[in-house]
Amino acid sequence: MTARDQHDRMANAIRFLSMDAVEKANSGHPGLPMGAADIATVLFTRFLKFDPRQPHWADRDRFILSAGHGSMLLYSLLYLTGYEDMTIEQIKSFRQLGSKTAGHPEYGHATGIETTTGPLGQGLGNSVGFALGERIMNAAFGNDLVDHHTYVLAGDGCLMEGISQEAIALAGHLKLNKLIVFWDDNNISIDGPVSLADSTDQVARFKASGWNASLIDGHDPEAIAAAIEAAHKSDKPTMIACKTTIGFGAPTRAGTNKAHGSPLGAEEIAGARKALGWDYPPFEVPADILDAWRKAGQAGVKAREAWEGRLAKADAKLRAEFERRMRGELPTGFDATIADYKKKLAADKPKVATRKSSEMALEVINGFVPETIGGSADLTGSNNTKTSQTKNIDASNYGERYVHYGIREHGMAAAINGLTLHGGVIPYGGTFLCFSDYARPSMRLASLMGTRSIFVMTHDSIGLGEDGPTHQPVEHLAALRAIPNHNVFRPADATEAAECWQLALESQKTPSTLALTRQNLSAVRTEFAAENLCGYGAYELAAANGDAAVTIFATGSEVEIALAARDKLQAHGHPTRVVSVPCFELFDKQDAAYRARTIGNAPVKIAIEAGIRQGWDHLIGIDGIFIGMTGFGASGTIEQLYPHFGITADAAAKAAEARLHK
Amino acid sequence: MTARDQHDRMANAIRFLSMDAVEKANSGHPGLPMGAADIATVLFTRFLKFDPRQPHWADRDRFILSAGHGSMLLYSLLYLTGYEDMTIEQIKSFRQLGSKTAGHPEYGHATGIETTTGPLGQGLGNSVGFALGERIMNAAFGNDLVDHHTYVLAGDGCLMEGISQEAIALAGHLKLNKLIVFWDDNNISIDGPVSLADSTDQVARFKASGWNASLIDGHDPEAIAAAIEAAHKSDKPTMIACKTTIGFGAPTRAGTNKAHGSPLGAEEIAGARKALGWDYPPFEVPADILDAWRKAGQAGVKAREAWEGRLAKADAKLRAEFERRMRGELPTGFDATIADYKKKLAADKPKVATRKSSEMALEVINGFVPETIGGSADLTGSNNTKTSQTKNIDASNYGERYVHYGIREHGMAAAINGLTLHGGVIPYGGTFLCFSDYARPSMRLASLMGTRSIFVMTHDSIGLGEDGPTHQPVEHLAALRAIPNHNVFRPADATEAAECWQLALESQKTPSTLALTRQNLSAVRTEFAAENLCGYGAYELAAANGDAAVTIFATGSEVEIALAARDKLQAHGHPTRVVSVPCFELFDKQDAAYRARTIGNAPVKIAIEAGIRQGWDHLIGIDGIFIGMTGFGASGTIEQLYPHFGITADAAAKAAEARLHK
């Protein structure tokens, strides 16, 4: 058998596993795995540095299937190269409930899945974070420990999505030359030929964004290998446009959108078996080909062992630090550091915006935790995301800790997910809360994957003032709270900000969003508490003088309004307690007794939040009083806006009294 | 005074009005108006076809300030050219509550504001819709009635946002050669020099996307004029990269990010007055310059009068149709057409997916309403957005009615907003509900502006099956309902789908999202009702046999589950009613008596929706039973998933009975 024959048969193994699995599931996307099988075969047999038996090896190359609908490509590769949890039974259970072989690759379901993909463009967006993470860790730990590539397979959809431009512009700017993107250039999207909707010269586009880019025959193994070799020598990221035939081998559907997203059918598959000379029953890979694949899967063992040798010989302190960071553990003493800082705050009682409180907390955190990587989507001075420790990362220096992501909220969030998935770093990035909408698809994936992605969202209400309703979040707290497994923090002062940051850093399986004010707020936590009270999600901040007639729940900037309303009500003889609610999600996780005690039995319940009511009923009941927004904001000064929208201590106190007197 | 002196002084009028207004407001962005004043002056005095006294003239050129933070540029132009509602008092009230001169340009606040901008990239995204709308209307009504340009001023932020790539790729593909974008290429963004975050060759990038593009001196009036003239001759859209100095004229801050987003201060402004030779007090424009501007504002009167002459002479039927479409009125008899169709449905009782129901409704609507323009973000066959009347629009034929938007949900939504703002067309576009996240920033702006944008969102729950949690919306209904002024429809069968479509088309000031199933649903509305019951938002679909012990609220695909649960409960002797809730927002607008009657007094209230609970408490109370999702979905068949997540008639009936027996 010639080398080319061997290659073809190895690639065909991917093709038939994919066809057969989609056929058995009666659902799925055979076209991409069939079209991209040659690219994947060359990459996995000749270049990719990995060891299926040590899938979490820190210095492995990462392979990201951005075109996640082609999941059978990845599952086939994992099975063929010998990942232990990717059995042929899993392949046969493709898309069935409880299998590791979900419709799209789900991070955490099977080893070898580096990130969850399917929503188009996200894997490409992640890859910038993976590749940047590699460079950051390389700068910290050297070539001996960190020196790997990030490979991406992207489809037409990935490149049409806007996030792709944010990703490639950022990668080009940062000269992430160990990032290599294969574009499966098959001219077909779901609706038909790509020419229905696109005429972009993608090679020229990538070049305009600072990439090395070329067009090759995606079915020619030597052309693919040569392109990868050239990419390894480039000082820029590389895009290899691989001209392929979708559904390669399918006699009537190849090259058409009929190969894209549905089973080919028995007849078409039989035709493909004939055309490609594959005389084996479904799910059977001939022994010589499976052997060849398994050998390819073991080709990385030497490199991994050599790396382990280098790690063993490394300076003990360096090694321990590397291993700590890759485990995702915070440095010992983190709790005490935060506690010390909280003591200082209790003494100082600073009256600052929570965006400033956040910066102050970060100044402490970044001084103690060397792996935090800050950044902002061009709002550094507004988001207060930069501290004395975080200098700019750029193409000439990856050893620093701050990323100017540009005006690219979506690309930033996807890169943050990639950074945290890479490991060794804890990324956070800022924008205005209103523009969480731009980043939302990536924020959702952070939640679905359970990554420690941290989003710093300032200017969190009408309190931002004159920029007006386009910039004033109204529905965003509710909309973010709606995402499962996403902690939305809204601290009320510097102490709560410190506590929320602590929780965000300690939250390894749930991403966090911190909603922070532009405007100054008084300290509401005036006494030191060793415990992280924000960890309860909601807690009694001020007790009532006597049996509570009124409980006021509030978050963030509205907590001081709640306290002022309490003063007014108590002055009028109505005992009133105030509950601060920095995080709905954590409160919902408390036991029933704590929740009942915290909500309490006061006859009048009020919530104050400068957003919409949605989500508040579960605390105050449907008869509870809500002081907040019912529609969009307006352009005006903060002094005008809060009274204009009726979000004042007076309004709250009056509403409570009206209810008490009813 | 030379022509150049005259130009400079006219441009300086913009600069000083902007500086002075920002200074008085003590808030705002002086840098862009100062930097782009030359571009705007050339455009408005030599090219733009408009008449400030007839600001809604259908054939006017559109000017879109995509870099909306530079709002004082637009307000200055509106004042200088003589828009009646843009008085000097409004300029002096910049950013004050209630003024027409909000922080960012707000559509509807002042005439001459074609679209709300501020969230970056949105105006550029809208412009594709404006330019396409022009071509569509031109194809329908000819050069005599429709022949105008769309001009855009975009900043670095607009071009860094991913939506820009979606917009420019679509515009390039469609060869929208009457779209002309000025890029205010000032090298500065908020964080500092653009080089902190970007190295893109924008001219090359636009060329790669099929644009005519060139780089000019943005302070040279003749270069600007020549570039516009060249653009007018191009068969492609044109991007003119205008190299400018942000804060042009400010002695120490020009060319730096200190000119971008805050008042310059008295000293700097005094320095600018000196540097630019502007010896007038704040807000004063010398009479000769104001005269020159006002004359420029009247230059379009002749063209407008000529156009009116052509309109008057046009075929009466054509003219009436043109005017009807530009008024946004539906053709007479639309109600009766829908009623006839509903009669047919009541007889046929089709068991189809609501995405198919939607297509069936559209087949009727598109046959009767010639101005609907369909489309999808590459999911035509899945979204069922194409009907027999809608053939593909392409660069060689704008006379059709279907847009293949490509895999560009965000660009599609922004273009839809632009199409509806242009007028004369009613656009709708489809994607999967899960990917409403990608389109959300534009969907929010549709709500803020109050446009008749219609979003068709199929695959609206775990019911889509095997594609798994990346594609299964869980929080999206809640998240969309959270947006103010946005009707989220979730019809339960073909009749409700027809009613929801009717409501969406009739809703001129509120955008609509239709959430539609992939899976087939039984007809639940089996008798003809002349009235549009979905217009109530919620209504009793099935009464209880006797005094209701249980009320079940449900939407969309879960209504048939609710009816099955009702059967079970009634069989067990528990009178049960079912309320269908196709639209929360419309229900909330009903009077208190209707709402109370519809919610009813049954001791047990249940809601069934294959999404999260958030938002449902206001119907069922915090003690109500919710049958739905509490986290992300899973990959599996629909037959597996509904039972797996406990969303079944059995589960609902059992939960109700457990409560009744308590």
Side-chain angles (χ1 to χ4, degrees), chain A residues 25-27 29 95-98 101-104 106 116-122 156-157 159-166 169-170 172-173 189-192 194-201 204-205 208-209 376-382 392 402 404-410 434-435 437-438 440-441 444-445 447-448 466-476 478-479 481-485 612 614-615 617-618 621-622 630-632 634-637 640-641 644, chain B residues 25-27 29 95-98 101-104 106 116-122 156-157 159-166 169-170 172-173 189-192 194-201 204-205 208-209 376-382 392 402 404-410 434-435 437-438 440-441 444-445 447-448 466-476 478-479 481-485 612 614-615 617-618 621-622 630-632 634-637 640-641 644:
Chain A
N26 195 26
S27 169
H29 301 76
R95 292 189 154 229
Q96 302 311 300
L97 187 61
T101 47
H104 292 82
E106 301 283 342
T116 295
T117 52
L120 294 173
Q122 295 293 332
D156 290 296
L159 300 199
M160 282 199 230
E161 292 287 0
I163 190 176
S164 66
Q165 185 60 30
E166 301 184 22
L170 186 56
H173 176 71
S189 68
I190 292 177
D191 279 0
V194 166
S195 60
L196 279 175
D198 195 50
S199 312
T200 307
D201 179 342
R205 177 188 166 209
S209 296
S376 167
D378 196 46
L379 289 169
T380 296
S382 299
N392 292 349
Y402 196 83
H404 283 283
Y405 285 103
I407 299 137
R408 307 182 180 110
E409 301 81 8
H410 200 176
C434 213
F435 304 142
D437 280 352
Y438 279 76
R440 194 170 167 90
R444 180 180 207 254
L445 283 170
S447 295
L448 180 58
E466 293 89 340
D467 274 344
T470 53
H471 286 52
Q472 290 165 354
V474 164
E475 73 278 23
H476 297 77
R481 288 170 183 150
I483 302 176
N485 192 39
I612 61 165
Q614 191 188 93
D617 288 340
H618 87 292
I622 59 172
T630 57
F632 291 108
S635 177
T637 64
Q640 293 170 321
L641 292 175
H644 178 73
Chain B
N26 196 27
S27 170
H29 301 77
R95 293 189 155 229
Q96 301 311 300
L97 187 60
T101 47
H104 293 81
E106 300 284 342
T116 295
T117 52
L120 293 173
Q122 295 293 332
D156 290 296
L159 300 199
M160 281 200 232
E161 291 287 0
I163 189 175
S164 66
Q165 185 60 28
E166 302 185 20
L170 185 57
H173 176 71
S189 67
I190 291 176
D191 278 359
V194 166
S195 60
L196 280 175
D198 194 50
S199 311
T200 308
D201 178 342
R205 176 187 166 209
S209 296
S376 167
D378 196 46
L379 290 168
T380 295
S382 299
N392 292 350
Y402 197 83
H404 283 283
Y405 285 103
I407 300 138
R408 306 183 182 109
E409 301 80 10
H410 201 176
C434 213
F435 303 141
D437 280 351
Y438 279 77
R440 193 170 168 90
R444 181 180 207 251
L445 283 170
S447 295
L448 180 58
E466 293 90 341
D467 274 345
T470 53
H471 285 53
Q472 290 164 354
V474 164
E475 73 278 25
H476 297 78
R481 287 170 182 150
I483 302 176
N485 192 39
I612 60 165
Q614 188 175 309
D617 287 340
H618 87 291
I622 59 173
T630 56
F632 292 108
S635 178
T637 64
Q640 293 170 320
L641 292 175
H644 178 74

Side-chain angles (χ1 to χ4, degrees), chain B residues 480-618:
Chain B
L480 290 172
R481 287 170 182 150
I483 302 176
N485 192 39
H486 199 103
N487 288 339
V488 180
F489 293 104
R490 193 166 188 245
D493 72 358
T495 298
E496 283 201 356
E499 291 185 345
C500 291
W501 263 110
Q502 181 180 16
L503 292 162
L505 263 78
E506 290 173 352
S507 173
Q508 293 217 28
K509 299 284 177 196
T510 301
S512 300
T513 292
L514 289 98
L516 305 166
T517 68
R518 176 180 187 235
Q519 72 269 30
N520 287 340
L521 303 178
S522 300
V524 298
R525 283 276 294 280
T526 51
E527 292 186 25
F528 172 70
E531 206 177 10
N532 188 322
L533 298 181
C534 290
Y536 291 98
Y539 64 94
E540 185 176 90
L541 176 68
N545 289 343
D547 280 352
V550 179
T551 298
I552 310 181
F553 302 85
T555 74
S557 44
E558 284 71 68
V559 172
E560 66 178 25
I561 295 175
L563 290 170
R566 172 176 173 270
D567 289 347
K568 286 175 196 284
L569 285 163
Q570 295 207 136
H572 291 192
H574 309 302
T576 298
R577 56 196 283 274
V578 169
V579 175
S580 180
V581 193
C583 183
F584 276 34
E585 295 76 17
L586 293 180
F587 181 63
D588 289 344
K589 286 188 180 149
Q590 305 307 311
D591 63 44
Y594 179 82
R595 281 184 286 128
R597 192 164 73 242
T598 304
I599 291 174
N601 298 313
V604 175
K605 296 195 185 79
I606 309 186
I608 316 181
E609 184 170 83
I612 60 165
R613 178 172 184 140
Q614 188 175 309
W616 275 100
D617 287 340
H618 87 291

Side-chain angles (χ1 to χ4, degrees), chain A residues 4-5 7-20 29-41 73 184-188 217-221 224 242-262 264 268-278:
Chain A
R4 178 62 198 252
D5 286 343
H7 165 89
D8 288 347
R9 279 164 52 82
M10 290 177 81
N12 286 340
I14 296 172
R15 293 192 174 101
F16 285 97
L17 286 172
S18 300
M19 273 183 262
D20 293 340
H29 301 76
L32 184 138
M34 296 167 73
D38 292 310
I39 303 164
T41 300
L73 177 74
D184 179 32
D185 178 15
N186 63 22
N187 290 59
I188 293 294
D217 175 354
H219 297 300
D220 177 350
I224 297 163
C242 302
K243 185 60 74 184
T244 61
T245 301
I246 191 171
F248 182 94
T252 72
R253 295 193 176 188
T256 78
N257 61 339
K258 287 185 182 164
H260 169 79
S262 48
L264 295 177
E268 186 80 0
I269 294 179
R273 282 193 149 73
K274 208 164 174 185
L276 297 176
W278 191 262

Side-chain angles (χ1 to χ4, degrees), chain B residues 192 217 251 308-309 535 569:
Chain B
D217 175 354
E308 282 169 353
L569 285 163

Side-chain angles (χ1 to χ4, degrees), chain B residues 248-259:
Chain B
F248 182 93
T252 72
R253 295 193 176 188
T256 77
N257 61 340
K258 287 189 181 161

